[in-house]
Amino acid sequence: MTNKTWRVGVAGLGTVGGGLLQFLADRPDFAPAGDSAVVTAVSARSKSRPRTIDISGLTWFDDPVALAGSPDIDLFVELVGGSDGPAKAAVETALKAGKPVVTANKALIAEHGAELAALAEAQGVPLLFEAAVMGGVPAVKMMREAMVGDDIDSVAGILNGTCNFILSEMEKTGRSFADVLREAQALGYAEADPTMDVGGFDAGHKITILAALAFGCAPNFAAAEIEGIEAVELLDIKL
């Protein structure tokens, strides 16, 4: 069997995308069965933005959807983010073109995972989303494979690092939510707009995916009850 060099297109060059490019540049032969993977094309919001990795030798696409449908890539990696818009359109385009898709987009999978999985199955290509939830564990692979024969009663866990840091610091230091949030932002643990984290949406997307895997049902983020930590006070923690 002839080994294959996978031509990879990456949409989204933030922290995760840049890290992926560096990893594949350092280890192009990491793919199984003797195959190799080489990033050949990329797309992001800004071509001129300073980056830690050189992209001058890669084909640039202003539109991630055009990248996803390009005949010059074999595999599409979606790291744009967001449940709809360009991210969803690009993934759909890649799947319809018969390309395997890898995504770290938890919102996309939690809100549209069922329809995208059906499209991937119809096209006979994989839709992989290990990095969407606790990629370092790895939780998705564990639940899809190692625990497939287990009877799972419930799923719970610490799923958001920002919330975990804030609540832990409030408990340890007796400081207010607002004060610890400012520290988390200064340390880079929280975004300038922390709504997705402290509002519970990030954890909600993750638990939706884990619950779907645990109980063999379609992800249904709309049915999730989301409650953030913005209103948590020191008295709540002490009680």
Side-chain angles (χ1 to χ4, degrees), residues 32-191:
D35 288 354
S36 59
V38 178
V39 176
T40 58
V42 294
S43 176
R45 291 181 180 178
S46 172
K47 185 177 182 179
S48 59
R49 175 183 174 182
R51 294 184 170 88
T52 58
I53 187 167
D54 182 18
I55 62 170
S56 60
L58 306 178
T59 302
W60 176 267
F61 286 80
D62 290 319
D63 181 5
V65 179
L67 169 60
S70 171
D72 296 324
I73 66 167
D74 305 306
L75 184 151
F76 179 63
V77 180
E78 185 277 308
L79 302 171
V80 175
S83 60
D84 294 284
K88 182 172 182 283
V91 168
E92 289 174 334
T93 297
L95 293 175
K96 289 176 181 177
K99 303 179 193 298
V101 170
V102 178
T103 179
N105 190 337
K106 64 188 75 68
L108 179 68
I109 298 300
E111 298 187 33
H112 302 292
E115 62 186 271
L116 293 175
L119 176 58
E121 184 175 2
Q123 295 296 113
V125 292
L127 170 63
L128 305 175
F129 52 93
E130 184 70 60
V133 186
M134 302 168 65
V137 173
V140 171
K141 183 178 179 66
M142 177 178 66
M143 297 190 74
R144 294 178 78 173
E145 298 179 14
M147 300 180 68
V148 69
D150 295 334
D151 293 325
I152 300 175
D153 296 320
S154 63
V155 181
I158 298 172
L159 298 177
N160 184 271
T162 301
C163 291
N164 188 39
F165 173 81
I166 291 173
L167 295 175
S168 296
E169 285 298 304
M170 288 176 66
E171 181 181 30
K172 287 191 297 184
T173 66
R175 293 152 61 201
S176 69
F177 168 83
D179 188 28
V180 180
L181 172 59
R182 283 192 292 270
E183 180 186 1
Q185 290 171 320
L187 292 171
Y189 298 158
E191 302 287 346

Side-chain angles (χ1 to χ4, degrees), residues 5-28:
T5 297
W6 291 83
R7 300 170 299 171
V8 180
V10 179
L13 296 178
T15 301
V16 177
L20 175 63
L21 262 63
Q22 187 64 63
F23 176 84
L24 291 178
D26 294 339
R27 296 182 56 189

Side-chain angles (χ1 to χ4, degrees), residues 205-221:
H205 285 135
K206 291 174 181 175
I207 198 65
T208 295
I209 296 170
L210 292 178
L213 294 172
F215 305 119
C217 58
N220 185 7
F221 179 69

